[in-house]
């Protein structure tokens, strides 16, 4: 079974026959059989050439590039190979008709909020009282049903997420209190971890969209724009609480991420250092591989596969086979 590869060391990556080789600086080269690759994540400073790019395109392998601080910069996206003109038309129609668009957008938000509430209830049942946040979020979720457009809905979603973040100080054992979500740049270890985790989630969703007939530039909750795959932002809303936030709580509360050991701090800025990034990436990859028993398919599927199944459900909605119901975990 193919898997993701996360390249964190500097060097050169090249193709020879049907194998890709990573050639780190001052170290023996490392073979990566191409049939074993699902997607590549490049964190180190790597040299590559068009011969490799052509080979990756032939094998339908996407790779994602991250900057010095580990944040997502962009993707090499091979030519789409599952094109469907009829589905593209329906995807555009659902975007252009507000009533149809709002049905899908509401589902993305409802699923994301369900996953947030599930986390808060889990920790409340274990002695970390998040009942105030739960009540407030439930109130805003009910009010969000009256949102007439995606701008209003995104406003409710933002308020809900801000409320959710206020519970982090209760759930996490922190030396430095987490006051508010700050993105550009992150200003403390928790903001740095959230931003880094989210930058992993977006390309993971993009990779799964690429394996389907969906067009990644046409979205429903987020507004489509130039130079971005906005549908991956939509799908990431579902999986950020389910995957990224759970990883953050686990790593900090188990001491696997340490505020003083795994972060670099400058004036008004904070980033994961190399060791911290490797720890987070390892936890993320492990989470994607973890499996659950799927009630409908009657078999075990990985968290990564759940992202693609979400794409398939969306396709069925667009073509009129069944109404889209975004993921609500049952396990």
């Amino acid at each position: 079974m193919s898997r993701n590869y996360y390249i964190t060391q500097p060097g050169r990556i090249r193709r020879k026959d049907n194998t890709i080789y990573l050639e780190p600086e001052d170290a023996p080269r490392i073979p990566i059989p191409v049939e074993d690759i699902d997607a590549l994540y490049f964190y180190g400073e790597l040299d590559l050439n068009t011969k490799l790019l052509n080979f990756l395109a032939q094998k339908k392998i996407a790779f994602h590039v991250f900057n010095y601080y580990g944040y997502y910069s962009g993707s090499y996206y091979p030519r789409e190979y599952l094109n469907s003109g009829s589905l593209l038309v329906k995807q555009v129609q659902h975007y252009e008709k507000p009533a149809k668009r709002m049905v899908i957008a509401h589902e993305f938000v409802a699923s994301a909020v369900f996953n947030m509430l599930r986390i808060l209830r889990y920790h409340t049942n274990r002695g970390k009282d998040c009942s105030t946040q739960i009540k407030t979020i439930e109130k805003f979720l009910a009010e969000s049903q009256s949102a007439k457009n995606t701008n209003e809905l995104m406003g409710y979603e933002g308020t809900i997420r801000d409320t959710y973040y206020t519970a982090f100080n209760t759930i996490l054992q922190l030396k430095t209190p987490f006051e508010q979500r700050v993105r550009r740049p992150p200003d403390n270890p928790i903001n740095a971890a959230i931003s880094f985790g989210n930058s992993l989630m977006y390309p993971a969703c993009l990779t799964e969209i690429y394996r389907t007939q969906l067009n990644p530039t046409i979205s429903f909750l987020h507004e489509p724009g130039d130079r971005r795959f906005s549908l991956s932002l939509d799908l990431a809303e579902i999986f950020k609480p389910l995957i990224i936030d759970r990883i953050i709580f686990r790593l900090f509360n188990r001491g696997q991420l340490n505020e003083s050991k795994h972060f670099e701090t400058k004036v008004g800025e904070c980033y994961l250092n190399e060791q911290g990034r490797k720890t987070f990436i390892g936890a993320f990859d492990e989470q994607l591989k973890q499996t659950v028993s799927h009630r409908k398919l009657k078999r075990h599927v990985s968290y990564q596969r759940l992202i693609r199944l979400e794409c398939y459900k969306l396709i069925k909605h667009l073509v009129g086979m069944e109404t889209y119901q975004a993921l609500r975990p049952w396990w």
Side-chain angles (χ1 to χ4, degrees):
M1 182 178 178
S2 60
R3 61 192 182 95
N4 298 318
Y5 280 84
Y6 305 84
I7 313 298
T8 58
Q9 60 262 66
R12 183 174 183 82
I13 187 164
R14 67 170 74 236
R15 170 211 176 173
K16 184 176 180 181
D17 299 325
N18 282 330
T19 302
I20 292 175
Y21 287 92
L22 170 64
E23 300 175 349
E25 296 177 352
D26 303 321
R29 69 179 185 178
I30 302 169
I32 308 174
V34 70
E35 302 302 334
D36 192 40
I37 302 172
D38 187 57
L40 295 165
Y41 292 69
F42 292 161
Y43 288 87
E45 294 185 10
L46 293 163
D47 294 328
L48 44 86
N49 57 29
T50 55
K51 183 178 179 181
L52 174 67
L53 296 180
N54 286 328
F55 186 56
L56 293 176
Q58 291 170 14
K59 296 298 181 179
K60 304 175 180 62
I61 296 172
F63 70 76
H64 311 290
V65 181
F66 299 79
N67 66 17
Y68 172 80
Y69 298 106
Y71 297 127
Y72 177 65
S73 294
S75 297
Y76 173 77
Y77 193 80
R79 185 177 63 184
E80 295 173 346
Y81 65 104
L82 295 173
N83 293 321
S84 171
S86 61
L87 180 62
L88 177 61
V89 169
K90 291 184 183 298
Q91 195 172 343
V92 172
Q93 288 174 341
H94 278 74
Y95 163 75
E96 289 186 329
K97 296 180 180 179
K100 289 187 174 184
R101 181 181 178 183
M102 287 299 291
V103 168
I104 301 173
H106 273 294
E107 271 301 297
F108 285 136
V109 171
S111 175
V113 175
F114 179 94
N115 290 323
M116 291 182 217
L117 289 172
R118 194 164 181 262
I119 287 173
L120 297 182
R121 291 179 180 125
Y122 170 87
H123 288 283
T124 296
N125 291 336
R126 282 155 182 77
K128 297 182 178 181
D129 187 13
C130 303
S131 56
T132 300
Q133 287 87 355
I134 291 171
K135 291 177 182 177
T136 303
I137 289 173
E138 289 175 336
K139 171 179 173 290
F140 285 124
L141 177 61
E143 291 178 3
S144 72
Q145 300 304 310
S146 63
K148 296 180 177 60
N149 54 59
T150 54
N151 286 336
E152 288 185 23
L153 185 58
M154 288 286 285
Y156 280 111
E157 189 274 339
T159 302
I160 288 170
R161 197 168 289 276
D162 287 342
T163 303
Y164 169 67
Y165 285 137
T166 64
F168 276 40
N169 283 323
T170 302
I171 296 172
L172 292 168
Q173 301 167 7
L174 301 172
K175 295 178 182 178
T176 305
F178 177 57
E179 296 179 356
Q180 63 179 345
R181 179 75 175 107
V182 178
R183 293 170 175 79
R184 298 185 183 90
D187 62 348
N188 60 44
I190 299 302
N191 276 316
I194 294 171
S195 293
F196 183 78
N198 290 348
S199 75
L200 280 168
M201 199 70 254
Y202 298 137
C205 290
L206 177 59
T207 299
E208 296 309 309
I209 294 170
Y210 175 65
R211 306 298 183 193
T212 73
Q213 296 174 315
L214 288 169
N215 186 300
T217 65
I218 302 170
S219 52
F220 304 99
L221 177 61
H222 294 83
E223 193 65 34
D226 296 332
R227 300 182 299 278
R228 71 173 187 170
F229 300 111
S230 51
L231 185 58
S232 65
L233 303 180
D234 284 359
L235 287 175
E237 293 298 324
I238 297 172
F239 292 96
K240 285 189 295 187
L242 184 61
I243 294 177
I244 301 304
D245 296 348
R246 289 170 64 188
I247 289 174
I248 291 172
F249 298 146
R250 183 166 67 249
L251 291 181
F252 274 95
N253 286 339
R254 292 179 181 178
Q256 293 171 275
L257 276 184
N258 182 280
E259 293 172 72
S260 57
K261 183 180 178 182
H262 295 110
F263 294 86
E264 298 177 5
T265 303
K266 301 178 181 179
V267 178
E269 300 179 13
C270 183
Y271 302 99
L272 279 158
N273 61 22
E274 183 177 357
Q275 185 179 356
R277 291 196 294 269
K278 288 181 178 180
T279 298
F280 203 113
I281 290 169
F284 178 74
D285 190 51
E286 181 182 341
Q287 187 67 55
L288 288 185
K289 293 175 181 175
Q290 185 177 331
T291 62
V292 299
S293 179
H294 199 284
R295 294 185 300 186
K296 189 173 181 179
L297 298 179
K298 306 299 182 185
R299 61 183 175 85
H300 281 78
V301 299
S302 67
Y303 275 71
Q304 182 167 338
R305 188 68 177 182
L306 287 172
I307 302 173
R308 196 180 308 181
L309 291 175
E310 207 63 22
C311 296
Y312 291 151
K313 289 193 294 181
L314 185 56
I315 290 172
K316 289 181 179 180
H317 177 90
L318 295 174
V319 300
M321 290 178 62
E322 59 183 56
T323 302
Y324 177 57
Q325 291 187 323
L327 179 66
R328 273 84 162 170
W330 58 85
W331 59 92

